[in-house]
mmCIF file with all atom_site columns, all heavy atoms in Angstrom:
data_model
loop_
_atom_site.group_PDB
_atom_site.id
_atom_site.type_symbol
_atom_site.label_atom_id
_atom_site.label_alt_id
_atom_site.label_comp_id
_atom_site.label_asym_id
_atom_site.label_entity_id
_atom_site.label_seq_id
_atom_site.pdbx_PDB_ins_code
_atom_site.Cartn_x
_atom_site.Cartn_y
_atom_site.Cartn_z
_atom_site.occupancy
_atom_site.B_iso_or_equiv
_atom_site.pdbx_formal_charge
_atom_site.auth_seq_id
_atom_site.auth_comp_id
_atom_site.auth_asym_id
_atom_site.auth_atom_id
_atom_site.pdbx_PDB_model_num
ATOM   1  N N   . GLU A 1 115 ? 127.655 -137.579 52.125 1.00 98.00 ? 121 GLU A N   1
ATOM   2  C CA  . GLU A 1 115 ? 126.963 -138.033 50.912 1.00 98.00 ? 121 GLU A CA  1
ATOM   3  C C   . GLU A 1 115 ? 127.185 -139.531 50.765 1.00 98.00 ? 121 GLU A C   1
ATOM   4  O O   . GLU A 1 115 ? 128.159 -140.066 51.298 1.00 98.00 ? 121 GLU A O   1
ATOM   5  C CB  . GLU A 1 115 ? 127.569 -137.357 49.671 1.00 98.00 ? 121 GLU A CB  1
ATOM   6  C CG  . GLU A 1 115 ? 127.390 -135.876 49.640 1.00 98.00 ? 121 GLU A CG  1
ATOM   7  C CD  . GLU A 1 115 ? 128.329 -135.229 48.616 1.00 98.00 ? 121 GLU A CD  1
ATOM   8  O OE1 . GLU A 1 115 ? 128.658 -135.873 47.604 1.00 98.00 ? 121 GLU A OE1 1
ATOM   9  O OE2 . GLU A 1 115 ? 128.730 -134.078 48.858 1.00 98.00 ? 121 GLU A OE2 1
ATOM   10 N N   . ILE A 1 118 ? 128.754 -143.396 45.790 1.00 96.00 ? 124 ILE A N   1
ATOM   11 C CA  . ILE A 1 118 ? 128.158 -144.188 44.707 1.00 96.00 ? 124 ILE A CA  1
ATOM   12 C C   . ILE A 1 118 ? 129.252 -145.049 44.084 1.00 96.00 ? 124 ILE A C   1
ATOM   13 O O   . ILE A 1 118 ? 130.336 -144.550 43.763 1.00 96.00 ? 124 ILE A O   1
ATOM   14 C CB  . ILE A 1 118 ? 127.574 -143.260 43.617 1.00 96.00 ? 124 ILE A CB  1
ATOM   15 C CG1 . ILE A 1 118 ? 126.727 -142.141 44.242 1.00 96.00 ? 124 ILE A CG1 1
ATOM   16 C CG2 . ILE A 1 118 ? 126.780 -144.043 42.585 1.00 96.00 ? 124 ILE A CG2 1
ATOM   17 C CD1 . ILE A 1 118 ? 125.532 -142.582 45.006 1.00 96.00 ? 124 ILE A CD1 1
ATOM   18 N N   . GLU A 1 179 ? 129.314 -139.177 39.429 1.00 98.00 ? 185 GLU A N   1
ATOM   19 C CA  . GLU A 1 179 ? 129.540 -140.607 39.309 1.00 98.00 ? 185 GLU A CA  1
ATOM   20 C C   . GLU A 1 179 ? 128.522 -141.189 38.333 1.00 98.00 ? 185 GLU A C   1
ATOM   21 O O   . GLU A 1 179 ? 127.324 -141.019 38.532 1.00 98.00 ? 185 GLU A O   1
ATOM   22 C CB  . GLU A 1 179 ? 129.376 -141.239 40.703 1.00 98.00 ? 185 GLU A CB  1
ATOM   23 C CG  . GLU A 1 179 ? 130.012 -142.568 40.859 1.00 98.00 ? 185 GLU A CG  1
ATOM   24 C CD  . GLU A 1 179 ? 131.519 -142.485 41.136 1.00 98.00 ? 185 GLU A CD  1
ATOM   25 O OE1 . GLU A 1 179 ? 132.089 -141.370 41.108 1.00 98.00 ? 185 GLU A OE1 1
ATOM   26 O OE2 . GLU A 1 179 ? 132.117 -143.549 41.366 1.00 98.00 ? 185 GLU A OE2 1
ATOM   27 N N   . LYS A 1 294 ? 132.716 -134.533 53.645 1.00 98.00 ? 300 LYS A N   1
ATOM   28 C CA  . LYS A 1 294 ? 133.454 -133.362 53.153 1.00 98.00 ? 300 LYS A CA  1
ATOM   29 C C   . LYS A 1 294 ? 133.270 -132.190 54.106 1.00 98.00 ? 300 LYS A C   1
ATOM   30 O O   . LYS A 1 294 ? 132.167 -131.955 54.584 1.00 98.00 ? 300 LYS A O   1
ATOM   31 C CB  . LYS A 1 294 ? 132.913 -132.956 51.772 1.00 98.00 ? 300 LYS A CB  1
ATOM   32 C CG  . LYS A 1 294 ? 132.981 -134.052 50.733 1.00 98.00 ? 300 LYS A CG  1
ATOM   33 C CD  . LYS A 1 294 ? 132.262 -133.680 49.438 1.00 98.00 ? 300 LYS A CD  1
ATOM   34 C CE  . LYS A 1 294 ? 132.285 -134.876 48.492 1.00 98.00 ? 300 LYS A CE  1
ATOM   35 N NZ  . LYS A 1 294 ? 131.394 -134.706 47.330 1.00 98.00 ? 300 LYS A NZ  1
HETATM 36 S S1  . LIG B 2 .   ? 134.048 -136.585 46.066 1.00 55.95 ? 10  LIG B S1  1
HETATM 37 C C1  . LIG B 2 .   ? 138.168 -134.966 46.416 1.00 55.95 ? 10  LIG B C1  1
HETATM 38 N N1  . LIG B 2 .   ? 131.638 -137.613 46.380 1.00 55.95 ? 10  LIG B N1  1
HETATM 39 O O1  . LIG B 2 .   ? 134.674 -142.077 45.101 1.00 55.95 ? 10  LIG B O1  1
HETATM 40 C C2  . LIG B 2 .   ? 136.793 -135.381 46.176 1.00 55.95 ? 10  LIG B C2  1
HETATM 41 N N2  . LIG B 2 .   ? 133.312 -138.951 45.350 1.00 55.95 ? 10  LIG B N2  1
HETATM 42 O O2  . LIG B 2 .   ? 137.849 -142.232 46.111 1.00 55.95 ? 10  LIG B O2  1
HETATM 43 C C3  . LIG B 2 .   ? 136.678 -136.713 45.542 1.00 55.95 ? 10  LIG B C3  1
HETATM 44 N N3  . LIG B 2 .   ? 132.549 -141.156 44.643 1.00 55.95 ? 10  LIG B N3  1
HETATM 45 O O3  . LIG B 2 .   ? 136.876 -140.908 42.654 1.00 55.95 ? 10  LIG B O3  1
HETATM 46 C C4  . LIG B 2 .   ? 135.382 -137.109 45.064 1.00 55.95 ? 10  LIG B C4  1
HETATM 47 N N4  . LIG B 2 .   ? 130.473 -140.940 45.309 1.00 55.95 ? 10  LIG B N4  1
HETATM 48 O O4  . LIG B 2 .   ? 134.607 -141.782 41.922 1.00 55.95 ? 10  LIG B O4  1
HETATM 49 C C5  . LIG B 2 .   ? 132.895 -137.811 45.926 1.00 55.95 ? 10  LIG B C5  1
HETATM 50 N N5  . LIG B 2 .   ? 129.478 -138.388 46.675 1.00 55.95 ? 10  LIG B N5  1
HETATM 51 C C6  . LIG B 2 .   ? 130.716 -138.587 46.239 1.00 55.95 ? 10  LIG B C6  1
HETATM 52 C C7  . LIG B 2 .   ? 131.109 -139.782 45.620 1.00 55.95 ? 10  LIG B C7  1
HETATM 53 C C8  . LIG B 2 .   ? 132.432 -139.934 45.187 1.00 55.95 ? 10  LIG B C8  1
HETATM 54 C C9  . LIG B 2 .   ? 131.342 -141.731 44.731 1.00 55.95 ? 10  LIG B C9  1
HETATM 55 C C10 . LIG B 2 .   ? 133.761 -141.804 44.080 1.00 55.95 ? 10  LIG B C10 1
HETATM 56 C C11 . LIG B 2 .   ? 134.512 -140.976 43.068 1.00 55.95 ? 10  LIG B C11 1
HETATM 57 C C12 . LIG B 2 .   ? 135.881 -140.782 43.631 1.00 55.95 ? 10  LIG B C12 1
HETATM 58 C C13 . LIG B 2 .   ? 135.972 -141.860 44.656 1.00 55.95 ? 10  LIG B C13 1
HETATM 59 C C14 . LIG B 2 .   ? 136.808 -141.391 45.816 1.00 55.95 ? 10  LIG B C14 1
#
Side-chain angles (χ1 to χ4, degrees):
E121 296 164 30
I124 313 298
E185 200 81 355
K300 303 172 184 169

